[in-house]
Amino acid sequence: MWLSDAQKIGVALTTFGTLFMFLGVMLFFDAALLALGNMLFLSGLTLIIGPQKTFYFFARKQKLRGTACFIGGILLVFMKYSFIGMIVEIFGFLNLFGDFFPVVVTFLRQVPFIGNLLSLPYIRPIVDRIAGSRTSAV
């Protein structure tokens, strides 16, 4: 699958947005870094999947609670309530993007070093729970 130039820029913006949000959390919830990370993440997501699909993703009826929390968290970060805003935003993020976790875990299990790490005895049950796979107890 080949990406267009706009999608490549979107991937870079999303990556930098995630990096800035991580740095903002590591630097004791720095509001400026968190706000910049949120803007980069949203603009990158819009460039990756397109404006219309982005709108439809956030406006779906079953995702309205997650959308409200995610946007509310971003607004709280903009108003300098960065800790509370990030908690609300993470709740919204999990509601919005929680369906993608099994796909991500399945992909990560096929990556050479990470797949071996995720198969360790104490880590595997946690990863199985995140992925939503059901195992029967013997």
Side-chain angles (χ1 to χ4, degrees):
M1 178 176 108
W2 297 100
L3 297 175
S4 69
D5 289 339
Q7 289 175 324
K8 290 176 186 176
I9 294 170
V11 168
L13 288 176
T14 304
T15 303
F16 281 120
T18 305
L19 176 70
F20 278 116
M21 282 192 278
F22 177 74
L23 284 174
V25 170
M26 289 293 113
L27 294 173
F28 302 111
F29 296 96
D30 181 45
L33 284 174
L34 292 173
L36 183 61
N38 283 326
M39 293 306 298
L40 289 173
F41 180 80
L42 286 177
S43 60
L45 184 67
T46 304
L47 284 175
I48 291 173
I49 64 176
Q52 188 175 15
K53 288 183 181 179
T54 303
F55 174 76
Y56 287 136
F57 176 77
F58 283 106
R60 286 192 300 190
K61 191 175 185 178
Q62 62 267 29
K63 300 282 186 182
L64 284 180
R65 182 178 68 180
T67 301
C69 288
F70 189 68
I71 293 174
I74 290 173
L75 291 175
L76 284 170
V77 167
F78 286 159
M79 293 186 307
K80 306 288 185 190
Y81 296 108
S82 54
F83 183 73
I84 297 169
M86 282 306 293
I87 291 173
V88 173
E89 191 175 334
I90 288 171
F91 178 75
F93 184 84
L94 291 175
N95 278 316
L96 284 171
F97 298 101
D99 299 340
F100 298 119
F101 289 151
V103 175
V104 171
V105 168
T106 303
F107 170 74
L108 287 176
R109 282 185 170 163
Q110 296 176 4
V111 175
F113 178 73
I114 297 172
N116 293 338
L117 185 70
L118 295 178
S119 297
L120 292 174
Y122 294 108
I123 298 174
R124 185 180 189 108
I126 298 168
V127 174
D128 286 342
R129 179 172 287 176
I130 291 171
S133 61
R134 303 284 184 235
T135 58
S136 59
V138 177

